[in-house]
Amino acid sequence: MGKNKRLIVLLSTLLAVIIIVLIIIWSKLILTPQSYECTNFAMGTYIQQTVYGSKRVEAATAAAKDIGTLDDLISWRDGDSDISKLNQAAGSDWVSLDAKTILILKTSLDVAEKSDGAFDPTILPISTLWNFGGENQHVPTPDNLKKYIQFVNYKNLRINTKESTASLKLHYMAVDLSAIGEGAACDEAVAAYRNAGADSGIIAVGGSVGVYGAKSGKSPWRVAVRDPNSNKDQSTSMGEIVLDSGFVSTSGSYDNAFTKDGVTYHHLLEPKSGYPENNGLISTTVVCDSGALSDALSTACFILGKEKGMELLKKYNAEGIFIDKNNQVYVTENLMNNFKITNARYTLAK
């Protein structure tokens, strides 16, 4: 074979290899779902999104906008919010509220009633005394707790869904939707993904997570459950939940807590006493098909304790994980096959 022919064969072979490599790379690019990740701040926490599909950017942008709008409606700290207007009118007038605010208040009251007040959206008069996470967090005096505990009663929060109005029966009453807001934000995000035409997505808002659509390769989502004994600044997981769709919310005594005279106080207050609940639990996680509901139920279950908490979950066809101070883990029956412990510190209770 002549020199020129050998060169032609060599170049042809090299070109064929390059074409094959390019085809492989291109195939992988085509088959690999394109994701968009972003981080925003709302609801007093960081919001992390990962969205897939050709409409991923539009979907994530819409979700962030809708969550911001919701925050403007339900934050009691915002003087122009629906909840602020409701609180300012306590003991006097009914006020007109956005339909989204009414819906969250309705869910709050439903959980309050079914949990016998373990979850109470009118907790603000007491929680402000403790000022968890603020510059003046402290243990309130018994006299102050006695003075303001009378204004914590969900039965005195009235809503009219037809008129989209609400009222608080007594002066000094006030609503705080922090224990349901993060989950409600996940509801907003999943709705935005669906409306924008995203293929799939996952959002984390504080202690709540929402997933939408099938993950790449049709594999289920794996949602980590926080290790309640891990450091707040470097939190780790104690297990994971396999989830095709839905919402997961966790409440724990590790969040918003302070220590005074050797005693640690956390923000999960028992509404009837005004003090942090001390029933042996350190974390509760709830899985269901509503973000707002999963968030409210995780708080209610923590206050109720394992036995009553599991009974409450049955009323909503929800599932849960309860972790006590001895690192024993209790899981509802229907979640057992979709949850596994990944941290040797914890033991699945029999």
Side-chain angles (χ1 to χ4, degrees):
M1 182 181 294
K3 183 177 181 181
N4 289 338
K5 288 185 177 180
R6 286 197 298 270
L7 181 60
I8 291 173
V9 172
L10 179 62
L11 291 175
S12 298
T13 303
L14 180 60
L15 180 60
V17 171
I18 292 174
I19 291 173
I20 292 172
V21 170
L22 289 175
I23 290 174
I24 293 173
I25 293 174
W26 180 253
S27 298
K28 287 184 177 181
L29 289 174
I30 292 297
L31 294 174
T32 301
Q34 300 298 297
S35 67
Y36 175 72
E37 299 181 10
C38 64
T39 301
N40 306 99
F41 190 87
M43 301 282 172
T45 188
Y46 286 101
I47 299 171
Q48 297 175 310
Q49 299 185 70
T50 301
V51 188
Y52 297 88
S54 61
K55 300 293 185 180
R56 58 192 180 277
V57 177
E58 295 91 333
T61 301
K65 180 181 178 181
D66 291 348
I67 291 172
T69 299
L70 181 66
D71 195 12
D72 290 341
L73 287 173
I74 68 173
S75 172
W76 65 266
R77 293 181 173 85
D78 185 342
D80 294 324
S81 74
D82 274 0
I83 296 305
S84 182
K85 293 174 183 176
L86 175 62
N87 292 344
Q88 292 168 15
S92 55
D93 299 326
W94 285 71
V95 294
S96 297
L97 304 177
D98 188 275
K100 288 185 178 181
T101 307
I102 290 292
L103 181 60
I104 295 173
L105 287 173
K106 183 179 178 181
T107 301
S108 297
L109 284 179
D110 189 73
V111 176
E113 290 169 1
K114 287 184 172 63
S115 68
D116 192 27
F119 175 87
D120 195 321
T122 67
I123 194 69
L124 190 59
I126 293 301
S127 61
T128 50
L129 293 180
W130 290 86
N131 195 222
F132 288 103
E135 297 180 356
N136 188 35
Q137 54 186 3
H138 64 282
V139 180
T141 65
D143 287 344
N144 264 345
L145 282 175
K146 183 178 180 180
K147 178 180 179 180
Y148 288 99
I149 197 73
Q150 61 183 308
F151 303 113
V152 177
N153 190 338
Y154 69 91
K155 294 180 181 179
N156 291 325
L157 166 62
R158 290 88 51 96
I159 60 173
N160 185 324
T161 54
K162 291 184 179 180
E163 300 293 331
S164 197
T165 59
S167 72
L168 291 165
K169 187 176 181 180
L170 305 174
H171 288 295
Y172 304 110
M173 287 190 69
V175 167
D176 179 5
L177 296 179
S178 300
I180 193 173
E182 293 176 355
C186 291
D187 286 326
E188 290 292 304
V190 167
Y193 299 162
R194 183 182 299 109
N195 293 335
D199 291 344
S200 59
I202 183 169
I203 182 165
V205 184
S208 294
V209 174
V211 299
Y212 167 74
K215 195 178 179 183
S216 60
K218 305 299 182 181
S219 61
W221 299 94
R222 296 184 182 276
V223 179
V225 178
R226 178 174 169 173
D227 177 357
N229 290 299
S230 63
N231 185 284
K232 181 178 180 180
D233 297 324
Q234 294 181 330
S235 62
T236 57
S237 62
M238 58 73 58
E240 66 177 20
I241 299 169
V242 177
L243 193 65
D244 289 322
S245 64
F247 301 85
V248 179
S249 292
T250 298
S251 295
S253 58
Y254 50 79
D255 201 16
N256 281 335
F258 66 89
T259 301
K260 176 69 174 178
D261 297 331
V263 179
T264 298
Y265 301 89
H266 60 78
H267 76 293
L268 293 167
L269 303 175
E270 201 287 310
K272 294 181 177 64
S273 70
Y275 285 95
E277 179 58 59
N278 184 24
N279 56 18
L281 290 179
I282 57 175
S283 174
T284 52
T285 296
V286 171
V287 182
C288 68
D289 57 5
S290 161
L293 194 56
S294 69
D295 202 2
L297 286 174
S298 68
T299 296
C301 286
F302 189 100
I303 302 301
L304 286 172
K306 177 175 67 69
E307 288 80 11
K308 290 183 179 180
M310 287 191 173
E311 288 301 314
L312 176 64
L313 292 179
K314 291 178 182 178
K315 298 178 181 179
Y316 290 97
N317 195 29
E319 304 301 327
I321 301 166
F322 299 75
I323 305 176
D324 68 19
K325 61 184 179 181
N326 297 317
N327 296 334
Q328 293 290 300
V329 182
Y330 302 84
V331 184
T332 54
E333 184 177 355
N334 291 335
L335 186 60
M336 194 74 73
N337 291 334
N338 291 323
F339 169 74
K340 71 174 182 178
I341 295 174
T342 57
N343 188 322
R345 172 186 293 180
Y346 297 90
T347 302
L348 188 64
K350 301 298 183 181

